[in-house]
Amino acid sequence: QVQLVESGGGSVQVGGSLRLSCAASGYKINDYWMGWFRQTPGKEREGVAAISPNGANTYYLESVKGRFTISRDNAKNTLYLHMHSLKPEDAAMYYCASGRRYIHLPLDWDGYNDWGQGTQVTVSS
């Protein structure tokens, strides 16, 4: 049974940092694209960052480029999102997602099959 469990969310001030983690179980993430998505009430879920199976290729939402870094440790079966210089507009529920072996649009949620329950990120000024 595939399970993705996010952790590391919380409340930070503007300009602060957080590191999100996503522990996968029930399968090995080695062969699959992985991604982070976020959603706020009333808005569609948007792709924040994605990473290829071997970690060689990464993709980011334009508004987080230079501030967020996605990484993965396949040996630990874990995905990460390092977030720096957080802004109020980054506040959202963040979801970890496991995709397919090949994805045409890495930041499109349609390419992902399994999802975690989410971890809340709050940014206050």
Short mmCIF file of all heavy atoms in Angstrom, two decimals, residues 5 9 21 24 27 36 38 42 48-49 51 57-58 61 72 74 79 82-84 93 101-103 107 111 122:
data_model
loop_
_atom_site.label_atom_id
_atom_site.label_comp_id
_atom_site.label_asym_id
_atom_site.label_seq_id
_atom_site.Cartn_x
_atom_site.Cartn_y
_atom_site.Cartn_z
N VAL A 5 3.77 10.51 3.57
CA VAL A 5 3.50 11.25 4.80
C VAL A 5 4.39 12.48 4.84
O VAL A 5 5.63 12.37 4.93
CB VAL A 5 3.74 10.38 6.04
CG1 VAL A 5 3.48 11.20 7.31
CG2 VAL A 5 2.85 9.14 6.01
N GLY A 9 5.84 21.18 8.14
CA GLY A 9 5.09 22.42 8.01
C GLY A 9 5.02 23.15 9.35
O GLY A 9 5.40 22.62 10.39
N SER A 21 9.39 17.50 4.51
CA SER A 21 9.82 16.14 4.18
C SER A 21 8.62 15.31 3.80
O SER A 21 7.50 15.56 4.27
CB SER A 21 10.53 15.49 5.38
OG SER A 21 11.68 16.20 5.75
N ALA A 24 8.00 8.14 2.02
CA ALA A 24 7.20 7.20 1.24
C ALA A 24 7.36 5.79 1.80
O ALA A 24 8.43 5.41 2.26
CB ALA A 24 7.63 7.22 -0.22
N TYR A 27 6.38 1.24 -1.39
CA TYR A 27 7.01 1.12 -2.69
C TYR A 27 8.33 1.90 -2.65
O TYR A 27 8.60 2.62 -1.69
CB TYR A 27 6.10 1.67 -3.79
CG TYR A 27 6.09 3.17 -3.92
CD1 TYR A 27 6.58 3.82 -5.05
CD2 TYR A 27 5.59 3.97 -2.88
CE1 TYR A 27 6.59 5.20 -5.15
CE2 TYR A 27 5.60 5.35 -2.98
CZ TYR A 27 6.08 5.95 -4.11
OH TYR A 27 6.10 7.32 -4.21
N TRP A 36 5.99 18.43 -5.35
CA TRP A 36 5.31 19.15 -4.28
C TRP A 36 4.27 20.07 -4.91
O TRP A 36 4.57 20.79 -5.87
CB TRP A 36 6.30 19.99 -3.47
CG TRP A 36 7.20 19.20 -2.58
CD1 TRP A 36 8.48 18.79 -2.83
CD2 TRP A 36 6.87 18.70 -1.28
NE1 TRP A 36 8.97 18.08 -1.77
CE2 TRP A 36 7.99 18.01 -0.80
CE3 TRP A 36 5.74 18.77 -0.47
CZ2 TRP A 36 8.04 17.39 0.45
CZ3 TRP A 36 5.77 18.16 0.77
CH2 TRP A 36 6.91 17.48 1.22
N ARG A 38 0.75 22.71 -3.85
CA ARG A 38 0.15 23.46 -2.76
C ARG A 38 -1.24 23.93 -3.16
O ARG A 38 -1.54 24.08 -4.35
CB ARG A 38 1.04 24.63 -2.34
CG ARG A 38 1.16 25.75 -3.37
CD ARG A 38 2.18 26.77 -2.90
NE ARG A 38 2.31 27.89 -3.84
CZ ARG A 38 3.23 28.82 -3.75
NH1 ARG A 38 4.15 28.79 -2.76
NH2 ARG A 38 3.25 29.81 -4.63
N GLY A 42 -10.33 27.64 -2.05
CA GLY A 42 -10.92 28.35 -3.17
C GLY A 42 -10.05 28.43 -4.41
O GLY A 42 -10.47 28.98 -5.43
N VAL A 48 4.40 23.16 -7.37
CA VAL A 48 5.44 24.03 -6.83
C VAL A 48 6.81 23.60 -7.33
O VAL A 48 7.61 24.42 -7.75
CB VAL A 48 5.41 24.01 -5.30
CG1 VAL A 48 6.56 24.83 -4.73
CG2 VAL A 48 4.08 24.52 -4.78
N ALA A 49 7.07 22.31 -7.25
CA ALA A 49 8.38 21.80 -7.66
C ALA A 49 8.26 20.33 -8.00
O ALA A 49 7.42 19.62 -7.43
CB ALA A 49 9.41 22.00 -6.56
N ILE A 51 10.76 16.74 -9.38
CA ILE A 51 12.11 16.22 -9.54
C ILE A 51 12.06 14.87 -10.23
O ILE A 51 11.18 14.04 -9.95
CB ILE A 51 12.81 16.13 -8.16
CG1 ILE A 51 14.28 15.75 -8.31
CG2 ILE A 51 12.08 15.18 -7.22
CD1 ILE A 51 15.08 15.97 -7.02
N ASN A 57 16.95 16.29 -12.89
CA ASN A 57 16.13 17.38 -13.44
C ASN A 57 15.12 17.86 -12.43
O ASN A 57 14.43 17.05 -11.80
CB ASN A 57 15.41 16.88 -14.70
CG ASN A 57 16.39 16.49 -15.79
OD1 ASN A 57 17.13 17.32 -16.29
ND2 ASN A 57 16.40 15.22 -16.14
N THR A 58 15.05 19.17 -12.30
CA THR A 58 14.08 19.77 -11.39
C THR A 58 13.32 20.88 -12.11
O THR A 58 13.83 21.51 -13.03
CB THR A 58 14.77 20.37 -10.14
OG1 THR A 58 15.77 21.30 -10.56
CG2 THR A 58 15.42 19.28 -9.30
N LEU A 61 7.79 26.21 -9.99
CA LEU A 61 6.85 27.29 -10.24
C LEU A 61 7.67 28.58 -10.31
O LEU A 61 8.59 28.79 -9.49
CB LEU A 61 5.85 27.34 -9.09
CG LEU A 61 4.74 28.37 -9.15
CD1 LEU A 61 3.78 28.04 -10.28
CD2 LEU A 61 3.99 28.39 -7.81
N ARG A 72 15.74 14.83 -3.29
CA ARG A 72 15.25 13.51 -2.91
C ARG A 72 16.41 12.66 -2.45
O ARG A 72 17.54 12.81 -2.92
CB ARG A 72 14.53 12.84 -4.08
CG ARG A 72 15.39 12.59 -5.30
CD ARG A 72 14.54 12.24 -6.53
NE ARG A 72 13.82 10.99 -6.35
CZ ARG A 72 12.75 10.65 -7.08
NH1 ARG A 72 12.28 11.47 -7.99
NH2 ARG A 72 12.16 9.48 -6.88
N ASN A 74 16.77 8.83 -2.47
CA ASN A 74 16.13 7.57 -2.84
C ASN A 74 16.48 6.44 -1.87
O ASN A 74 15.67 5.54 -1.64
CB ASN A 74 16.52 7.19 -4.27
CG ASN A 74 15.82 8.04 -5.31
OD1 ASN A 74 14.84 8.73 -5.01
ND2 ASN A 74 16.33 8.03 -6.52
N LEU A 79 11.42 12.52 0.08
CA LEU A 79 11.43 13.72 -0.75
C LEU A 79 11.49 14.94 0.18
O LEU A 79 10.90 14.90 1.27
CB LEU A 79 10.17 13.77 -1.59
CG LEU A 79 9.95 14.98 -2.48
CD1 LEU A 79 10.91 14.94 -3.67
CD2 LEU A 79 8.50 15.01 -2.97
N HIS A 82 13.07 22.41 0.48
CA HIS A 82 13.64 23.47 1.29
C HIS A 82 13.06 24.79 0.82
O HIS A 82 13.17 25.12 -0.36
CB HIS A 82 15.16 23.49 1.15
CG HIS A 82 15.85 22.33 1.78
ND1 HIS A 82 15.84 21.07 1.21
CD2 HIS A 82 16.54 22.23 2.93
CE1 HIS A 82 16.54 20.25 1.99
NE2 HIS A 82 16.96 20.92 3.05
N MET A 83 12.48 25.53 1.74
CA MET A 83 11.83 26.79 1.40
C MET A 83 12.51 27.92 2.17
O MET A 83 12.60 27.87 3.40
CB MET A 83 10.35 26.73 1.74
CG MET A 83 9.63 25.55 1.10
SD MET A 83 7.85 25.59 1.35
CE MET A 83 7.76 25.38 3.12
N HIS A 84 12.96 28.92 1.45
CA HIS A 84 13.63 30.08 2.05
C HIS A 84 12.92 31.35 1.62
O HIS A 84 12.16 31.36 0.66
CB HIS A 84 15.09 30.12 1.63
CG HIS A 84 15.87 28.90 1.98
ND1 HIS A 84 16.25 28.61 3.27
CD2 HIS A 84 16.31 27.88 1.21
CE1 HIS A 84 16.92 27.46 3.27
NE2 HIS A 84 16.97 26.99 2.04
N MET A 93 -1.59 24.70 2.06
CA MET A 93 -1.38 23.30 2.40
C MET A 93 -0.47 22.73 1.33
O MET A 93 -0.76 22.87 0.14
CB MET A 93 -2.70 22.55 2.42
CG MET A 93 -2.59 21.10 2.86
SD MET A 93 -2.23 20.93 4.60
CE MET A 93 -3.87 21.20 5.29
N ARG A 101 6.72 7.08 -14.19
CA ARG A 101 8.12 7.00 -14.61
C ARG A 101 8.45 8.10 -15.60
O ARG A 101 9.56 8.61 -15.62
CB ARG A 101 8.40 5.64 -15.21
CG ARG A 101 8.51 4.52 -14.20
CD ARG A 101 8.95 3.23 -14.84
NE ARG A 101 9.34 2.24 -13.87
CZ ARG A 101 8.51 1.39 -13.31
NH1 ARG A 101 7.23 1.41 -13.62
NH2 ARG A 101 8.95 0.51 -12.42
N TYR A 102 7.48 8.46 -16.42
CA TYR A 102 7.69 9.52 -17.41
C TYR A 102 6.53 10.50 -17.29
O TYR A 102 5.38 10.10 -17.24
CB TYR A 102 7.75 8.94 -18.82
CG TYR A 102 8.80 7.87 -18.96
CD1 TYR A 102 8.45 6.53 -18.94
CD2 TYR A 102 10.14 8.21 -19.09
CE1 TYR A 102 9.41 5.55 -19.05
CE2 TYR A 102 11.10 7.24 -19.21
CZ TYR A 102 10.73 5.91 -19.19
OH TYR A 102 11.69 4.94 -19.30
N ILE A 103 6.87 11.77 -17.23
CA ILE A 103 5.85 12.81 -17.10
C ILE A 103 6.09 13.86 -18.17
O ILE A 103 7.20 14.34 -18.34
CB ILE A 103 5.89 13.44 -15.70
CG1 ILE A 103 5.37 12.45 -14.66
CG2 ILE A 103 5.07 14.72 -15.66
CD1 ILE A 103 5.29 13.03 -13.26
N LEU A 107 4.90 19.78 -13.57
CA LEU A 107 4.17 20.55 -12.56
C LEU A 107 2.65 20.44 -12.73
O LEU A 107 1.90 21.14 -12.05
CB LEU A 107 4.58 22.02 -12.61
CG LEU A 107 6.05 22.29 -12.25
CD1 LEU A 107 6.34 23.79 -12.32
CD2 LEU A 107 6.40 21.75 -10.86
N GLY A 111 -0.23 14.29 -13.76
CA GLY A 111 0.81 13.30 -13.93
C GLY A 111 1.14 12.52 -12.68
O GLY A 111 2.05 11.69 -12.68
N THR A 122 2.15 28.25 7.19
CA THR A 122 1.59 29.57 7.46
C THR A 122 2.72 30.58 7.52
O THR A 122 3.74 30.34 8.17
CB THR A 122 0.83 29.57 8.79
OG1 THR A 122 -0.19 28.56 8.75
CG2 THR A 122 0.17 30.92 9.05
#
